Amino acid sequence: MAHIVHNSAKHAGDRLNIDIESVVNKIFSHFSSSAKRTEALKAVFAFVEEQYQVVRRHVPTRWLSLWPAVKRLHDSWTAIKSYFLSLGEDQCPKSLWQLFKDDEDGDGKPLELQVYLSFLNNVLKIFHDVVLLLEGEDGTVCELYDMMLTLKTKLQQRQMDSFFGMETSAILQQFPDAKAAAIKHDLSIFYQAALNYLEKWYDFTDNNYQKNVASLALKSKFTFSHLCDAVDALQIRGKLDMDELYDEYCVTLPRQQDIVERRAPVVEKWSTLLKGTKTPNLTAVASFLFSIPITNASVERVFSHMTAAWTDQRNRCSVELIKSEIQVKNNFGYSCKEFYTCALKEKALLEAARSNKKYKVRKNF
């Protein structure tokens, strides 16, 4: 899902008249390869009385790098523009000079690049925030449909209202009417391209099982009918006693309203809802539901931990040892002090740590 959201923004950005990814990386490469240029940029920041900020790089394979890079250019616009205009046509990279040259006299004329930076700083944050939610540790499959639908609705409403951000609208007023209309049309294409990509790669219809389990996110009270729809969508009806499931639903029904009003992750809400109850069928539904990953972020984290643990210096470690280390790193959120306090209370753990039984020495004769 995170890949789809990232690609929808990237695909829409490719439809714009200014390739913002190329601009970001061109400006970054201009300074990253020269300490002298960086010092010159710092001097410009000081001249315009702004605090120096390092130009960020956008990595195409990293889904969360584009908006921070665009935001940094947007926030540093005065200094960045002044620096490249001070270079003049002969020293400024040609591709960048084409974007800055309309204000080469320093009269403060509005530039198209400024409009696009302002617009993308505003709209890319929507995609950025969704990816953050998707890659977070608390996200569940029953929240996924609402996340994607909310993203789609925001883009549709912005397109209908021709809303490009208040700052963007203010800058556009400085352009001639015909030029402003042309830019607005180009920005509208961004919305349409993003929506087309989302609708192509994500199923917003009633056939999507994620829509049928969305009612179990405990944002509002769910009915037994909602529960049955989720069971059918997950294809686990044959593994449950539906009559008992109804009785279990009735047991938890009086507690739902209090749980719904709480601000907590969905898994924590369900844990509270089922705590102290004998609800094996409802527990099975929740367990199955929350075992479905919504992105591959958790898998990637495991690979990162495995790479860090299974180094060349530890290449003789057993699979079981590495597995155990990864389980501890992923499932325990203790600080060093908290783990020390907890370990002191576990006599079996302390005895196992002192024992030599954990070492299996194989002797070759």
Side-chain angles (χ1 to χ4, degrees):
M1 292 302 109
H3 198 188
I4 292 174
V5 174
H6 167 264
N7 279 0
S8 64
K10 177 179 175 59
H11 183 76
D14 289 341
R15 306 275 76 80
L16 294 175
N17 288 334
I18 293 181
D19 185 352
I20 200 64
E21 288 190 44
S22 296
V23 171
V24 166
N25 286 331
K26 185 64 177 177
I27 292 177
F28 172 81
S29 64
H30 180 80
F31 295 106
S32 64
S33 59
S34 174
K36 183 178 179 180
R37 292 171 181 171
T38 301
E39 290 302 317
L41 179 62
K42 289 180 179 179
V44 175
F45 268 95
F47 179 76
V48 298
E49 298 182 342
E50 291 184 5
Q51 185 174 357
Y52 171 72
Q53 299 185 78
V54 177
V55 176
R56 287 181 176 269
R57 178 188 181 189
H58 167 54
V59 182
T61 56
R62 294 187 179 273
W63 301 336
L64 295 170
S65 69
L66 182 56
W67 176 70
V70 170
K71 178 175 171 53
R72 181 57 54 84
L73 290 183
H74 168 266
D75 294 345
S76 308
W77 171 250
T78 302
I80 293 292
K81 184 182 77 168
S82 299
Y83 170 83
F84 284 107
L85 287 176
S86 69
L87 294 181
E89 184 175 2
D90 294 335
Q91 297 184 36
C92 181
K94 187 173 182 179
S95 59
L96 294 178
W97 181 253
Q98 297 300 317
L99 301 172
F100 289 106
K101 66 178 183 180
D102 288 345
D103 192 31
E104 61 180 318
D105 295 330
D107 296 331
K109 294 180 181 178
L111 299 177
E112 283 189 54
L113 177 58
Q114 184 181 5
V115 177
Y116 283 86
L117 280 175
S118 176
F119 168 69
L120 291 171
N121 177 59
N122 181 284
V123 73
L124 288 180
K125 189 177 187 303
I126 300 175
F127 297 91
H128 185 88
D129 289 345
V130 174
V131 173
L132 280 178
L133 288 174
L134 290 169
E135 292 197 341
E137 295 183 354
D138 297 327
T140 63
V141 70
C142 50
E143 301 169 277
L144 186 54
Y145 184 83
D146 284 344
M147 287 183 192
M148 301 299 286
L149 184 61
T150 300
L151 173 61
K152 177 184 175 183
T153 302
K154 285 183 178 180
L155 294 174
Q156 286 177 329
Q157 193 62 47
R158 284 166 175 259
Q159 184 183 36
M160 290 172 55
D161 296 338
S162 296
F163 182 78
F164 310 112
M166 297 305 294
E167 182 185 67
T168 307
S169 299
I171 299 173
L172 284 170
Q173 291 177 1
Q174 303 176 43
F175 286 85
D177 291 343
K179 184 63 176 178
I183 295 175
K184 288 181 179 179
H185 176 71
D186 193 40
L187 301 184
S188 296
I189 292 176
F190 178 96
Y191 289 138
Q192 190 58 54
L195 287 167
N196 290 342
Y197 192 93
L198 282 176
E199 291 171 351
K200 178 181 178 181
W201 293 102
Y202 186 79
D203 184 8
F204 287 98
T205 68
D206 294 340
N207 296 325
N208 188 348
Y209 84 94
Q210 294 165 4
K211 184 175 183 179
N212 291 320
V213 301
S215 57
L216 302 186
L218 289 178
K219 294 181 179 179
S220 60
K221 296 176 67 174
F222 64 87
T223 64
F224 185 68
S225 177
H226 291 146
L227 191 56
C228 290
D229 289 342
V231 168
D232 291 335
L234 297 173
Q235 301 179 14
I236 56 175
R237 183 182 282 264
K239 300 180 180 180
L240 304 171
D241 186 320
M242 297 302 291
D243 291 331
E244 288 187 5
L245 181 63
Y246 178 76
D247 292 335
E248 294 170 13
Y249 163 75
C250 292
V251 169
T252 60
L253 186 58
R255 310 172 66 177
Q256 279 195 39
Q257 187 59 45
D258 179 57
I259 302 297
V260 164
E261 293 174 355
R262 297 186 182 186
R263 283 193 170 187
V266 175
V267 175
E268 185 178 323
K269 286 185 176 183
W270 269 94
S271 178
T272 304
L273 181 67
L274 299 176
K275 186 176 182 180
T277 63
K278 293 183 179 180
T279 52
N281 290 279
L282 193 55
T283 300
V285 173
S287 299
F288 190 93
L289 189 66
F290 299 138
S291 68
I292 303 173
I294 62 174
T295 68
N296 64 339
S298 58
V299 179
E300 296 293 343
R301 291 190 190 103
V302 171
F303 277 121
S304 297
H305 287 154
M306 185 174 65
T307 301
W310 218 336
T311 62
D312 291 340
Q313 289 75 24
R314 306 182 70 205
N315 60 5
R316 297 188 65 185
C317 291
S318 66
V319 174
E320 285 300 316
L321 174 60
I322 300 300
K323 176 183 176 182
S324 298
E325 289 185 3
I326 294 175
Q327 286 177 327
V328 169
K329 288 181 179 179
N330 281 274
N331 298 321
F332 288 91
Y334 296 129
S335 66
C336 291
K337 184 178 180 180
E338 290 170 339
F339 182 78
Y340 176 74
T341 303
C342 178
L344 288 179
K345 300 176 183 178
E346 300 291 335
K347 293 184 178 180
L349 176 62
L350 295 176
E351 290 176 2
R354 295 190 187 100
S355 173
N356 290 327
K357 292 181 180 179
K358 63 181 183 296
Y359 299 109
K360 295 180 181 180
V361 181
R362 184 177 62 185
K363 296 183 179 179
N364 297 320
F365 296 97

